[in-house]
Amino acid sequence: MKSFVTRFVLCWALANLLLLTASAQQAPPPNTPSAKTPDPAEKGQSAEEPKVSDKNQGTSNDRLFYTLPNFLTLENSGQVPPLTVGQKFWVVTRGSFDYILIPWYGFLAGLSQAENSEPGYGQGAQGYGKRYGAAFADGTIENYLTGAVLPSILRQDPRFFQSSEGGFWRRTGYAVSRIFVTRTDSGNEQFNYSEIVGSAMSAGISTYSYHPRADRTLSNTASVWGSEVGYDTITIVVKEFWPDIRRKLRKKPVPAAEAVPQLAPAPGRPAAQ
């Protein structure tokens, strides 16, 4: 369950993200060098965009802030073929059981225990273990329902197609709208039943199954549903601007040898060896 501390941490992270993004967009574009044919050795080093997985065409190997799985986000993708049912389940499985989620869920469980949310779990190692298991189950169930089960049944595309067009607020509006509007497997736009209904189903399953009995109420289920949709909204905004942030983080100072152009030798004098 998303507690007050968890929501505060997420809002704080989003605020810092927006400041960093605004700074990245206001930075002047670098001078464009004269066109030249890149050396074969430079081709792999100069690539900015994440490579498409050879095993799962139409998904990526990208990670948000180089850690959290971002396999269902495509950049500058244009028209791509729809994912098969098998691909939808495979990419969700790949992301849901990624190694980085082990400490991530541990962090969420620690926040929950620190403020003693859902007291029915208790404290100590046993309480922490229950919170960890609940956090892992919450995330995994929602991932499968919103990214694989319902998209397969409804033939909706679970991927996020980054825009990168327009200014800051236009792109933010586009990202937020993807919570409610998604692409179908046929390429049309449709209400995002997978996200809205899937997160509601996830909230109901988790609340009325393995969470403390005292928290099994309709109002708490609605609160969990709203928290999940809110968290997904923040995440999708981060996904929209992550390529800009990644380029800013990767930007390296130009070496002195490259910054100062070499002067041509004077006529009649040999070039320096």
Side-chain angles (χ1 to χ4, degrees), residues 54-132:
D54 294 331
K55 192 172 184 179
N56 298 289
Q57 291 295 330
T59 61
S60 75
N61 289 320
D62 189 41
R63 291 178 179 273
L64 291 177
F65 300 101
Y66 306 109
T67 53
L68 294 176
N70 191 29
F71 305 146
L72 281 171
T73 297
L74 296 185
E75 304 169 28
N76 306 318
S77 57
Q79 294 297 325
V80 294
L83 297 177
T84 65
V85 172
Q87 287 174 321
K88 291 175 183 178
F89 274 89
W90 167 249
V91 71
V92 169
T93 301
R94 180 184 171 209
S96 297
F97 296 94
D98 188 80
Y99 66 91
I100 199 62
L101 295 183
I102 297 175
W104 171 247
Y105 288 131
F107 171 72
L108 295 180
L111 287 180
S112 178
Q113 178 136 335
E115 62 178 359
N116 197 30
S117 64
E118 299 181 288
Y121 283 138
Q123 286 291 323
Q126 185 177 12
Y128 180 82
K130 291 179 180 179
R131 289 182 172 90
Y132 185 95

Side-chain angles (χ1 to χ4, degrees), residues 160 170-179 233 236-237 240-241:
F160 171 62
R170 180 176 179 179
R171 292 175 62 186
T172 300
Y174 165 79
V176 172
S177 72
R178 296 304 96 183
I179 290 292
T233 302
I236 207 168
V237 172
E240 170 63 26
F241 291 106

Side-chain angles (χ1 to χ4, degrees), residues 198-252:
S199 58
M201 294 173 61
S202 170
I205 292 172
S206 65
T207 300
Y208 289 98
S209 55
Y210 50 83
H211 279 275
R213 189 173 299 276
D215 296 317
R216 298 178 186 180
T217 63
L218 184 60
S219 61
N220 189 52
T221 303
S223 176
V224 173
W225 180 23
S227 296
E228 289 181 350
V229 173
Y231 174 79
D232 291 345
T233 302
I234 293 174
T235 303
I236 207 168
V237 172
V238 174
K239 290 180 178 181
E240 170 63 26
F241 291 106
W242 165 236
D244 302 83
I245 299 172
R246 184 179 63 230
R247 284 189 289 269
K248 185 176 179 63
L249 294 175
R250 285 183 177 179
K251 189 176 180 180
K252 300 178 180 178

